Amino acid sequence: MIAPKTARYSIPFFYEPRVDAEIAPLPIKGASDFAPFLYGDYLWESATNFVEMAGVKTLRKPRRPAAA
């Protein structure tokens, strides 16, 4: 509970990497490994899964080929 005469401050924090940022696993023992990818490729793939974006997925080619 906040006291009636105490000022309250909120500081929002927003974080999202640049679209050309490479996302890669950290070398942590026991952590699962994955192929590095570009955030923009992930964002496009995720956003175009919504029904409102139907048919636009092929308008943008991935900037980096998918890992084999």
Side-chain angles (χ1 to χ4, degrees), residues 44-65:
W44 181 257
E45 181 66 29
S46 298
T48 55
N49 286 330
F50 290 101
V51 68
E52 296 87 351
M53 300 288 281
V56 300
K57 189 174 290 235
T58 59
L59 296 178
R60 179 187 180 274
K61 301 255 186 262
R63 301 297 190 253
R64 181 181 291 175

Side-chain angles (χ1 to χ4, degrees), residues 19-37:
V19 294
D20 61 347
E22 180 182 75
I23 309 300
L26 294 173
I28 299 173
K29 185 178 179 179
S32 60
D33 197 19
F34 59 88
F37 59 90

